[in-house]
Amino acid sequence: MRVTHPFHPLADQEFDFAKRRKSWGADMVYFYDQAGELAWLPAAWTDVVGRDPFVVVAAGRSAFHIEG
């Protein structure tokens, strides 16, 4: 698993994936950090979640998203 959020301190680092689950309505990814401790992040901040199809098709041509 790789952290893809550009402003997170762990950005572009790879970790051992442990589990993905919904916790209190949030989609979370659990992984083992450098110290071997269990840690978690929102799944959207990792490569576990695929890219948004609208963003892929728009290829940077649209500044706005339908949900926005």
Side-chain angles (χ1 to χ4, degrees):
M1 174 205 88
R2 179 180 292 274
V3 178
T4 58
H5 191 284
F7 303 115
H8 195 279
L10 301 176
D12 293 326
Q13 294 185 31
E14 289 193 24
F15 297 96
D16 292 330
F17 175 80
K19 187 176 193 176
R20 179 179 179 183
R21 66 179 261 192
K22 294 217 180 226
S23 178
W24 293 87
D27 190 11
M28 303 299 282
V29 173
Y30 294 83
F31 62 96
Y32 293 101
D33 63 10
Q34 293 105 344
E37 304 273 332
L38 190 63
W40 64 92
L41 285 172
W45 293 5
T46 68
D47 63 355
V48 172
V49 176
R51 293 188 59 200
D52 182 354
F54 178 85
V55 174
V56 172
V57 172
R61 295 180 298 238
S62 177
F64 302 100
H65 197 280
I66 293 170
E67 283 85 24

